[in-house]
Amino acid sequence: RFQKIMNKNKDYLITEKPSRALFAFALPMIIGNLFQQAYTIVDSAIVGHYVGETALAAVGASYALTSIFICVAIGGGIGASVIISQHFGGHAYSRMKTSIRTAMLSFLLISLMLGGIGLCFSRQIMEALNTPADAMDIAVIYLNIYFYGLPFLFMYNILSSMFNALGESRIPLYLLIFSSVLNIFLDLYMVAALHLGVAGAAYATFIAQGIACVLALITMVKRLRQIKTDKKAEYFSADMLKRIAHIAIPSILQQSFVSIGNIFVQGLINSFGSSVIAGYSAAIKLNTFTITSFTTLGNGISSFTAQNIGAGKVDRVKQGMRGGVRM
């Protein structure tokens, strides 16, 4: 029934009953994030089983740091999606396309800069986090490969937020399921069959995220071509970037504060040695598995709210908030 709602009306977030529309929109987002978190748990299980405790510790030692980059990407995506949703809800399609292009170019540049800085200082970062000597070299290898793949991670998360802004929350779901399953198969092949160790796990994530990012980009380009405008959209707008940043920066800070705090916790955990890091790494991923369901629902309510504000339907915003609280 909910799939029919989404298929028959691309404006369902501003026309259907708020609680029903919100549920139809948020459910694929929640399922997709659960798939993503389930993958990270399986990934840890494969590394721990086939490579050992020290390897699992090496991956876990940088978990708090890598979480910050994910939070920056998610927070930036939320900032972009709010502006995109408002233009989409108000049928200002030319400005909507401009905001999408501006966000994509801006966050691609940011991801390249962060990746470059990370590659230059990966060892110093791991030393600052009190990474044990027996796990240091493996942790640096894992982190370097992660930084090489950072642009794919960034752009995939930004594109996912853009699809959500357009009410297309099923597309990120399908891509997440595909990339998660592919990631697990690549993990097994590279770690268990080729015996590439932690580097194999990192390359598996790199490849799966890269393919998902390219597929998301191709799908977004096709989707935008289907939306006709009476005015040519710009490829970059400084004014649009300022509007996106006005929302994205507080969102990034909000998303990142917990992860920044976790860096200090991670440094303390790392000082206890590989066994404690491995145990903590396994447990924290189960914790994240639960928390992401609620943060994802919050992001869904954000897009719902922005679309209805853009359409001038403030009463639906209040109804959607109440529906979100009940969910």
Side-chain angles (χ1 to χ4, degrees), residues 44 52-54 56-58 60-61 266 269-270 273-287:
S44 294
E53 178 184 282
T54 303
L56 181 57
Q266 188 75 59
I269 295 295
N270 291 355
S274 296
S275 295
V276 175
I277 300 172
Y280 178 78
S281 174
I284 198 68
K285 293 191 176 178
L286 289 174
N287 179 60

Side-chain angles (χ1 to χ4, degrees), residues 299-320:
N299 295 343
I301 296 172
S302 175
S303 292
F304 173 88
T305 300
Q307 275 204 26
N308 281 279
I309 287 176
K313 300 183 177 182
V314 180
D315 288 340
R316 288 177 58 83
V317 173
K318 299 175 183 177
Q319 296 173 42

